């Protein structure tokens, strides 16, 4: 018999993601959505769109979200969690506003949200909350009573997120040439962001020196290194590196870049590298192009054996982790004690983003935080 769990006060889960094109005709309109308000010329959008055109104009992210939706629904059903799961994107169909409108029409009044970004940063958390606030404002302007929307805490150090990635690193190490395996290095990768955005990530008391963004990634990298050492008996050298920089050259962004790092390791005589994209929930375009295409081509040019380890994607352990986070937050909202699973030195993250957390350059309303206009 499935376990029985009470979900109140929540009556729905919203999977909130970035979105991506699903055909060549979608690419430039999608990029217009992503860059709206930045004044980027059409020709530049077409240039950036070449990454998508290499793969038929299709980003893998939407299919990966469909797989995650199926995994969540299956896990919930198996464990007696009667909570419908909806899906909305920030930048492509199904659009967040349309999904929230559908949820309101279905009578959903208290929604908990899973964002497909595990770490603290403006682009990885607050911007999602700003888009939630904008969608709720649109509903209110249409005469629809907005539901209350909460956001699950950052899950970067939840066992259901960390352990699948650690197993991916172990599998990649095992796939390296045997004579290079013991001397391999681990390159943990995440999206580069401006130094200023990193320094102000997380609550105000964590600002400075890369902020919560860098600290959280370092904590996850150390956890994986420890698991790998326990399994193999080898303390592999490692470093946190960055990918997918997209800003103006004169603005400092987090470094080193993965391709520069591969060159440096090759120069030091390192025999092989495992690239572990710990900053990404699934194998979307920035993994598919920046690592599997660009960085892998750089390694081939150097004659350096590389393997890229798997992201979490729709792993059943991640689906179980989401269930755990939903039930944890529901219990907290009911005023009951809740088990808060977290590995590493940082402990479980906050439920409610405090004022001053991951501030925007131009302040905008943000839902699901201490400063939310939709309490």
């Amino acid at each position: 018999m499935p376990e029985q769990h009470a979900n109140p006060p929540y009556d729905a889960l919203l999977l909130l993601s970035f979105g991506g094109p699903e055909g060549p005709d979608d690419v430039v309109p999608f990029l217009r959505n992503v860059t709206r308000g930045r004044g980027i010329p059409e020709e530049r959008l077409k240039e950036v769109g070449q990454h998508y055109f290499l793969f038929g104009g299709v980003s893998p992210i939407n299919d990966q979200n469909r797989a995650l939706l199926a995994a969540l629904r299956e896990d919930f059903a198996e464990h007696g969690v009667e909570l419908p799961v909806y899906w909305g994107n920030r930048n492509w169909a199904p659009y967040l506003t349309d999904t929230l409108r559908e949820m309101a029409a279905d009578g959903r009044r208290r929604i908990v949200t899973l964002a497909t970004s595990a770490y603290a940063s403006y682009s990885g958390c607050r911007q999602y909350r700003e888009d939630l606030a904008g969608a709720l404002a649109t509903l209110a302007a249409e005469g629809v009573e907005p539901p209350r929307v909460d956001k699950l805490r950052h899950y970067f150090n939840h066992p259901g997120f960390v352990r699948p990635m650690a197993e991916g690193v172990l599998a990649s190490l095992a796939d390296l040439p045997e004579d290079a395996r013991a001397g391999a290095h681990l390159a943990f990768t995440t999206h580069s962001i401006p130094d200023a955005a990193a320094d102000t990530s997380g609550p105000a008391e964590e600002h400075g020196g890369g902020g919560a963004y860098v600290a959280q990634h370092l904590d996850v990298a150390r956890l994986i290194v420890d698991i790998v050492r326990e399994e193999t008996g080898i303390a592999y050298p490692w470093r946190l590196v960055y990918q997918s920089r997209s800003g103006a050259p004169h603005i400092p962004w987090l470094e080193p870049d993965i391709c520069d790092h591969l060159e440096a390791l090759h120069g030091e005589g390192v025999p092989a590298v495992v690239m572990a994209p710990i900053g990404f929930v699934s194998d979307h375009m920035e993994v598919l192009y920046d690592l599997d295409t660009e960085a892998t081509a750089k390694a081939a040019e150097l004659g350096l054996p590389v393997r890229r380890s798997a992201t979490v994607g729709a792993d059943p352990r991640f689906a179980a982790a989401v269930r755990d986070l939903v039930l944890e937050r529901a219990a907290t909202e009911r005023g009951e004690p809740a088990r808060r699973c977290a590995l590493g030195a940082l402990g479980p993250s906050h439920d409610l983003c405090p004022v001053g957390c991951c501030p925007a350059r131009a302040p905008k309303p943000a839902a699901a935080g201490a400063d939310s206009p939709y309490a």
Side-chain angles (χ1 to χ4, degrees), residues 258-345:
I258 177 61
C259 290
D260 294 338
H261 185 57
L262 293 176
E263 284 195 17
L265 292 179
H266 176 66
E268 295 167 10
V270 170
V273 178
V274 169
M275 302 182 294
I278 61 172
F280 304 91
V281 172
S282 63
D283 290 5
H284 56 67
M285 185 57 69
E286 286 163 316
V287 175
L288 199 64
Y289 181 81
D290 296 339
L291 293 183
D292 292 356
T293 304
E294 191 173 51
T296 300
K298 169 58 70 174
E301 174 190 317
L302 297 168
L304 177 65
V306 295
R307 298 293 186 271
R308 195 269 291 172
S309 66
T311 53
V312 170
D315 189 290
R317 289 165 294 183
F318 181 49
V322 175
R323 166 172 44 88
D324 182 62
L325 291 166
V326 168
L327 297 177
E328 169 199 300
R329 183 63 181 272
T332 299
E333 293 296 314
R334 295 194 301 267
E336 299 171 2
R339 184 184 64 129
R340 296 170 64 82
C341 289
L343 302 174

Side-chain angles (χ1 to χ4, degrees), residues 14 47 103-104 117 119 131 139 153 179 280 285 291 326:
L14 168 64
E47 180 183 332
M103 297 176 83
S117 177
Y119 300 86
D131 286 354
L139 264 59
R153 65 177 172 90
D179 59 352
F280 304 91
M285 185 57 69
L291 293 183
V326 168

Side-chain angles (χ1 to χ4, degrees), residues 3 22 56 149 221 331 372:
E3 304 167 33
E22 300 204 74
V149 180
S372 172

Side-chain angles (χ1 to χ4, degrees), residues 64-126:
Q64 289 161 6
N65 280 325
R66 292 182 183 103
L68 179 56
L69 281 169
L72 291 171
R73 288 166 177 157
E74 180 179 355
D75 179 90
F76 284 11
E78 287 178 354
H79 293 86
V81 177
E82 297 180 359
L83 200 67
V85 185
Y86 295 74
W87 169 35
N89 288 326
R90 292 174 49 213
N91 297 296
W92 202 248
Y95 287 103
L96 170 60
T97 302
D98 295 336
T99 300
L100 284 174
R101 190 182 292 113
E102 176 190 359
M103 297 176 83
D106 289 346
R108 311 304 177 192
R109 303 304 312 148
R110 191 76 188 274
I111 298 165
V112 64
T113 302
L114 168 71
T116 54
S117 177
Y119 300 86
S121 70
Y122 171 74
S123 57
C125 182
R126 185 175 178 89

